[in-house]
Amino acid sequence: MSAGPDIVTLEEALESDRARSLKRYREYVNPDLAKLLALVGYDRTFVRAEGAVVTDSDGVDYLDCLGGYGAVNLGHNHPELLAAIARVEQMPNLLQVAVSGLVGALGQSLAAVTPGDLKKVFLCNSGAEAVEGALKLARISTGRGGLLSTAGSFHGKSFGALSVTGRPKYQKPFGPLLPGTRTVPYGDLEALKAELETGAYAGFIVEPIQGEGGVIVPPRRYLKEAARACRKAGTLFIADEVQTGFGRTGAMFACEAEGVRPDIMALAKSLGGGVMPMGAVLATDEVWSPAYGCAENCLLHTSTFGGNARACAAALKTIEILVRDDVPAEAARKGEALLSRLRDIARDSELVVAVRGRGLLIGVEFAQPRFAEGLSREYMASMVASLLLEKDHIITAYTLNNPTVIRLEPPLTISDEQLEAVGDAMERICRRYSSFYGVAAAMMSRALGRRLRR
Ligand SMILES: Cc1ncc(COP(=O)(O)O)c(C=O)c1O
């Protein structure tokens, strides 16, 4: 072994205190991110999680309204999901050359719950990987090179996914990205139709509700008309339901609100029930067959861990529970109640300018002051998240493409009482503070207090 650092055993890692964990993160992972997380109070060690509650090493409970960025729709460590993984633990987790009964079964389950006629599935490990698969499939299936997406979108950070993501800040440092990509304003049908007329595009990729863009709900009928325009232009309609899928917006998939039948769908996050990483690309036979439907092409797109037994077991059980317990309907009911309470709070608040969302994908946008606008735009929602953490023990975060918005995206299994506590906390903050400056002062004094106590 080299004269570098010693290895760390799992037991040592699990027993490390907050200071040691932070030091290792700084030294071996990302020093500036560590600093930022410590500033807003996220340098705690979380040791337990169950349902919508996570517990730190001091025994303090926190209500998780971040929900793994939409990956824990069924709550943390759902016992039936852990049991599902245990049920297959004696099987080979990976034996890619064998026909897997679990992969076939998951394909069938996904075909059963997704809208339209999506009958072929490719399994992978993340949202970005699902988007890569979707973009490649659109190109090979149509023989066209162009890829159209929307401004403010988020589709992941691998090269292809980043190329269709509508946020220049994430793209610029890594150029040149994929050629042939273009964005149109989200929700603008005329701009989409004009672009489609060029006949250059293999696919139009779109989130039914933009999550990281700040929880933006498009105008009514936008998705339906966009799908129709795509069909007319020979462009495949790719629904990115990585974040909106599996009950999040009050339906199993957000596309259903307008009866849209996508040609391709990208899924991930809650597909693995929050206990296993998993992504999927689904397509109609019509789209899939010209791409991979022959012996020569059937292995053109692969992924080593795609369809491993444990992830499949978790995904099959996730879908079973979502259907059995009608979790999407529960999300619709709870989301309606929370949205209505937040809108009432916003009416009397100078701090909040908008409350948006559907189901339990909710964004709260904060006012920007005339002075310090740049600073406020980057940090306002983070500072509110920090106050929610410190004072109310509620975990949230800003939306990646729009840092003026905090997301409330709890597990769909969160109780009515827990949701009421979230509403109470938001109300207290909105009553107490009326501007960026008040929030900034409160957060800085808390951060300073924490530093002095250490
Ligand atoms: C709509 C959408 N697509 C794709 C992704 C990328 O997923 P992942 O982070 O698993 O790569 C995300 C992540 O937030 C997303 O919200």
Side-chain angles (χ1 to χ4, degrees), residues 69 125-131 153-158 161 165 205-212 240-244 266 268-269 278 400 407 409:
Y69 291 99
N125 310 285
S126 71
E129 200 187 349
V131 168
S153 61
F154 187 85
H155 298 291
K157 290 179 177 169
S158 55
T165 282
I205 184 165
V206 65
E207 298 155 89
I209 293 175
Q210 282 190 339
E212 302 305 331
D240 181 345
E241 293 246 18
V242 166
Q243 184 152 186
T244 49
K269 296 202 190 249
M278 178 167 254
L400 277 181
R407 54 169 10 108
E409 197 173 359

Side-chain angles (χ1 to χ4, degrees), residues 37-80:
L37 292 175
L39 182 71
V40 288
Y42 276 113
D43 53 338
R44 291 161 163 76
T45 306
F46 292 98
V47 292
R48 264 184 67 77
E50 190 182 346
V53 174
V54 295
T55 309
D56 75 10
S57 51
D58 297 326
V60 179
D61 286 343
Y62 299 80
L63 201 47
D64 180 6
C65 284
L66 174 57
Y69 291 99
V72 286
N73 285 5
L74 289 181
H76 289 276
N77 296 325
H78 192 296
E80 285 183 86

Side-chain angles (χ1 to χ4, degrees), residues 64-392:
D64 180 6
C65 284
L66 174 57
Y69 291 99
V72 286
N73 285 5
L74 289 181
H76 289 276
N77 296 325
H78 192 296
E80 285 183 86
L81 298 184
L82 298 182
I85 296 169
R87 179 91 176 69
V88 299
E89 70 188 2
Q90 300 300 320
M91 290 173 63
N93 191 39
L94 293 168
L95 195 61
Q96 294 89 343
V97 290
V99 169
S100 161
L102 293 174
V103 170
L106 182 54
Q108 181 175 329
S109 275
L110 284 168
V113 293
T114 48
D117 214 10
L118 301 166
K119 286 234 186 78
K120 288 287 181 289
V121 67
F122 170 79
L123 298 174
C124 53
N125 310 285
S126 71
E129 200 187 349
V131 168
E132 295 293 333
L135 300 179
K136 284 178 73 183
L137 177 55
R139 277 190 168 177
I140 187 176
S141 184
T142 61
R144 295 179 179 177
L147 296 165
L148 195 55
S149 60
T150 58
S153 61
F154 187 85
H155 298 291
K157 290 179 177 169
S158 55
F159 266 115
L162 186 62
S163 302
V164 293
T165 282
R167 187 162 199 220
K169 173 178 171 165
Y170 291 146
Q171 295 177 310
K172 275 207 180 111
F174 301 101
L177 299 179
L178 274 189
T181 61
R182 208 180 190 112
T183 58
V184 285
Y186 188 63
D188 185 339
L189 259 183
E190 293 318 307
L192 172 65
K193 284 181 183 166
E195 202 55 52
L196 286 172
E197 266 174 22
T198 62
Y201 295 103
F204 169 57
I205 184 165
V206 65
E207 298 155 89
I209 293 175
Q210 282 190 339
E212 302 305 331
V215 188
I216 311 290
V217 182
R220 238 166 58 79
R221 295 195 60 79
Y222 170 66
L223 295 173
K224 182 100 187 157
E225 294 300 326
R228 198 196 304 263
C230 282
R231 202 137 300 148
K232 198 166 151 213
T235 295
L236 300 176
F237 184 91
I238 306 171
D240 181 345
E241 293 246 18
V242 166
Q243 184 152 186
T244 49
F246 301 104
R248 173 54 56 190
T249 68
M252 188 65 92
F253 296 97
C255 273
E256 290 169 31
E258 295 197 352
V260 169
R261 299 161 64 92
D263 298 302
I264 300 176
M265 191 183 250
L267 299 174
K269 296 202 190 249
S270 277
L271 172 58
V275 291
M276 295 300 289
M278 178 167 254
V281 188
L282 275 83
T284 60
D285 275 329
E286 225 179 323
V287 169
W288 189 89
S289 293
Y292 303 126
C294 64
E296 205 178 326
N297 283 6
C298 67
L299 279 172
L300 270 188
H301 187 71
T302 56
S303 179
T304 299
F305 272 83
N308 69 82
R310 286 172 199 168
C312 284
L316 279 163
K317 191 55 82 178
T318 296
I319 295 171
E320 186 186 322
I321 295 170
L322 285 165
V323 171
R324 184 194 68 200
D325 298 348
D326 202 357
V327 177
E330 272 294 284
R333 183 184 65 74
K334 292 170 186 170
E336 202 46 57
L338 183 58
L339 270 167
S340 146
R341 169 117 196 245
L342 291 169
R343 284 182 176 133
D344 283 348
I345 295 169
R347 247 188 299 281
D348 299 324
S349 165
E350 286 173 42
L351 200 63
V352 173
V353 290
V355 175
R356 296 185 289 265
R358 194 188 298 154
L360 284 171
L361 181 58
I362 296 175
V364 178
E365 181 166 345
F366 296 101
Q368 303 303 300
R370 261 197 296 150
F371 306 105
E373 198 181 329
L375 205 63
S376 154
R377 180 169 298 127
E378 279 302 313
Y379 298 110
M380 180 64 182
S382 289
M383 292 189 306
V384 174
S386 172
L387 288 184
L388 282 170
L389 177 78
E390 293 285 347
K391 289 175 66 113
D392 301 291

